[in-house]
Amino acid sequence: MSVVKKIFLYLYIGLKNIFHLSYFISTLLLFITYYSAYLHPSSFILLPLLSLLFPVFLFLNILWILFFAFFFHLKRLIVAVLVQWFFVTDIQNFYAINWKEKPQHPENTLSVLSFNVKLFDLYNWQNNYLTRQKIMEYLKNNPADIMCFQEFYTSEDSNDFNNLQELKNLFPNYYFHSEYFVTLRQNDHWGLLTISRYPIIKTAVIKFNNAKNNGCIISTIAFQKDTIQVINLHLQSYSLFKKKKWRPNQKPDDENFFEALDSTAKGKNFIDKIYQNNTLKTQQAESILRFVKENLYPTVIVGDFNDIAHSYLMRLLKNQHFKDAFVEKGNGFGFTYHDKIYLRIDYIFYNDHFKVLDFITENNKTTKHLSDHYPIRCLLEIKK
């Protein structure tokens, strides 16, 4: 055998081994990232990052299937397809396929809207006067029975935006439940708002002891002959593009923790930020689920979870028998966040008392410039 042929032979064998090793490693990482969501994020610093990487390796396995099919590697193709089949239900979390039927509207249905309004463009990311009015116009033209807003801002200052009053003027026959987690200059408020077409007969608030800009409000609503609860929440952000000052091993109850959260300074590295913020977010969700566990009402949990569909937090919700309306009736990727990166981090969950009839992520030209989040809405039917 000539030297040239030997070189090509060794090169072929080497590349073949590299491909086989690459597939083995990517498959191993796929299973590792999948099972990382079964462990509490505080257990190990890399766990939250591994969980975030699961959809990447899930997509990579699809590419391997196409590669093996193209080059007729039958044995490898069968293995790759079997691996993908193991995760077939998880694909629906990231890309939903549901047959769309024209939803019926029987008397016992309830339309729900969730929208992170980004403070109505308070800090003039685009043009606060125009954006604010466009949001109001959108809500006027597309109302829902229950509307939940995160990053809600309002002010009683005559020179500022009284968004709460304008919404009350827009929906005079609705019931309002607002809670503020930050108030400055006595008149300027940041928090959450829930608006209901049906009477709100009781309210509650869960304030997190590990973050002052996030929280949860619970509205108990008289809906026909039933009583339902709507939980509107905004959980800790990953803050990947923000500089924040963190102190090593700082506990959430530390008296200086709030200051550390909100101070602009040199931030931690990428992995530390994901770990820290995911731990905080899980603590917040656990405090909400403790409340939910004691609740026997038909319940809807909506809001900005700041988390992907494959995570420890989402597994907690599913263990409490909550279903994701997007998975059941949505279509496509369903991205709700669209600033710098595209993610699905806003959700509408419902318990076994409901059946979902329709789900829409309103990612169109009108809503694209209203906020860095798209509004999501669904139609729920309460079971009799």
Side-chain angles (χ1 to χ4, degrees), residues 24-133:
F24 172 78
I25 292 173
S26 67
T27 303
L28 179 63
L29 288 172
L30 175 60
F31 279 93
I32 290 173
T33 55
Y34 173 76
Y35 284 107
S36 65
Y38 283 80
L39 302 174
H40 196 285
S42 63
S43 304
F44 177 49
I45 193 169
L46 289 178
L47 276 179
L49 178 60
L50 290 172
S51 180
L52 281 172
L53 289 174
F54 172 70
V56 176
F57 289 104
L58 192 62
F59 177 72
L60 185 59
N61 193 65
I62 296 174
L63 295 182
W64 279 114
I65 290 174
L66 296 175
F67 175 81
F68 293 140
F70 184 79
F71 288 100
F72 302 105
H73 292 296
L74 185 59
K75 290 182 180 179
R76 296 285 179 182
L77 176 61
I78 292 172
V79 172
V81 169
L82 289 175
V83 168
Q84 199 70 18
W85 184 255
F86 180 83
F87 299 106
V88 67
T89 56
D90 296 278
I91 295 173
Q92 190 81 345
N93 287 326
F94 302 100
Y95 191 89
I97 301 175
N98 291 292
W99 296 109
K100 281 289 184 181
E101 300 176 0
K102 189 175 181 180
Q104 302 298 316
H105 291 260
E107 292 182 359
N108 55 334
T109 58
L110 193 68
S111 58
V112 180
L113 166 74
S114 179
F115 190 14
N116 182 321
V117 293
K118 199 180 180 181
L119 308 178
F120 293 93
D121 202 20
L122 173 65
Y123 298 117
N124 203 26
W125 288 288
Q126 299 180 53
N127 185 311
N128 51 20
Y129 288 97
L130 292 176
T131 306
R132 176 175 174 271
Q133 288 309 311

Side-chain angles (χ1 to χ4, degrees), residues 107 109-110 145-146 174-175 196-200 221-224:
E107 292 182 359
T109 58
L110 193 68
D145 295 327
I146 295 173
Y174 278 63
Y175 301 83
S196 171
R197 186 190 297 272
Y198 301 95
I200 297 176
I221 297 171
F223 174 60
Q224 298 178 3

Side-chain angles (χ1 to χ4, degrees), residues 46 52 56 59-60 69 80 205 237 316 319 333 339 362 365:
L46 289 178
L52 281 172
V56 176
F59 177 72
L60 185 59
V205 58
S237 169
L316 286 179
N319 289 342
F333 287 106
D339 183 20
E362 297 204 307
K365 291 181 180 179

Side-chain angles (χ1 to χ4, degrees), residues 352-370:
D352 291 335
H353 294 277
F354 290 101
K355 175 185 177 182
V356 63
L357 302 179
D358 194 24
F359 180 93
I360 300 171
T361 304
E362 297 204 307
N363 50 351
N364 52 53
K365 291 181 180 179
T366 300
T367 58
K368 183 177 182 180
H369 302 291
L370 299 182

